[in-house]
Amino acid sequence: MPGPVEKGVLYVVATPIGNLEDITLRALRVLREADLIACEDTRHTRKLLDHYEIARPVLSYHEHNEQERARELVEKLEQGLSVAQVSDAGMPGIADPGYRVIKLAIERGIPVRPVPGPSAAITALAGGGLPTDSFEFLGFLPARSGQRRTLIERLRSASATVVLYEAPHRIRETLAEIVEVLGHERPVVIARELTKVHEEFLRGTAGELLERIGDRELKGEITLLIGRCEGPTSQALGSRSAADLNQRLQQIMREQGFDEKSALKILARELGQPRSEVYRELLRVRSRKKP
Ligand code: SAM
């Protein structure tokens, strides 16, 4: 059992991602006993603190003042205060500010103790139903369409489930891009409003989900899971995926200046498939194009 809250220690405390009951007994004790609570938005954290009748001094740190606040917080820790660091939701530092404070504290030799709890990424993985033996967390998808496209293209040959945070107003566009780049059959899970009243998991292939969503406006917070590449010999290689192969081959030739043979070698490596198998698929799509 960890003892009472220690002086001069930075506690990195996970808070709920929706349901206020999702907070550990240890997190509550640390928040109750810490000399200072460093939070992103004081109004937001106050709601949680009020719910649990916790009245401790708070100090805000966020993306724009984190560098400066990190120095202030570390000074307070060096003076012997105990500090509990929280973010608006989930685990601080995970696609959230917090990293700079933690890094500076470590550099100054201040003990850093994580107090684990919810995180949207892990919660989505736990209920999503895609393989969890290995996964890659990529944080927020870039807002700019070019960068987003580049990132999605990188996922063609992903060998682990991919976890992303995405804004609700962009989810349809993103799904359409996934269909276009990764193919209609790529497994996808949209985990929406996790742990809240309107929690919802939309599971299926990218193409199915795009159709199912139709004109529906998806609101709230979304974590997106993309299943790993199952290779061109699996069912995932519908006609669209085969066309994608050809597109990717052309891209490698264009961008890296390779002839078709060398580009094919690279493509096969990306897909983790024998070159002959990939070549056969390419011939299939090319013969389909002929009149
Ligand atoms: N630090 C947090 C964590 O550990 O999960 C993540 C903070 S990040 C700024 C917020 C993003 O996480 C949201 O835009 C959304 O993509 C995802 N998220 C947070 N809460 C969620 C929830 N209840 N359901 C689904 N996704 C959620």
Side-chain angles (χ1 to χ4, degrees), residues 17 89 91 94-96 119-120 140 165 191 193-194 221-223:
I17 56 167
M91 204 71 209
I94 307 298
D96 254 347
S119 184
F140 280 101
Y165 289 157
E193 293 288 85
L194 292 166
E221 298 193 278
I222 289 176
T223 297

Side-chain angles (χ1 to χ4, degrees), residues 56-69:
R56 302 303 301 153
V58 293
L59 180 78
S60 92
Y61 72 93
H62 44 73
E63 223 181 304
H64 306 293
N65 71 359
E66 199 188 343
Q67 198 88 45
E68 191 188 315
R69 280 290 198 249

Side-chain angles (χ1 to χ4, degrees), residues 1 8 15 33 48-49 56 64 91 112 124 150 154 159 165-166 174 176 183-184 190 194 204 212 226 246 271 283 289:
M1 268 295 276
T15 57
E33 293 179 12
L48 175 75
L49 299 179
R56 302 303 301 153
H64 306 293
M91 204 71 209
V112 174
T150 307
R154 187 160 87 62
S159 56
Y165 289 157
E166 179 59 309
T174 299
H184 187 273
I190 296 174
L194 292 166
R212 209 181 318 153
I226 303 176
N246 197 27
L271 297 164
L283 288 182
K289 272 188 183 160

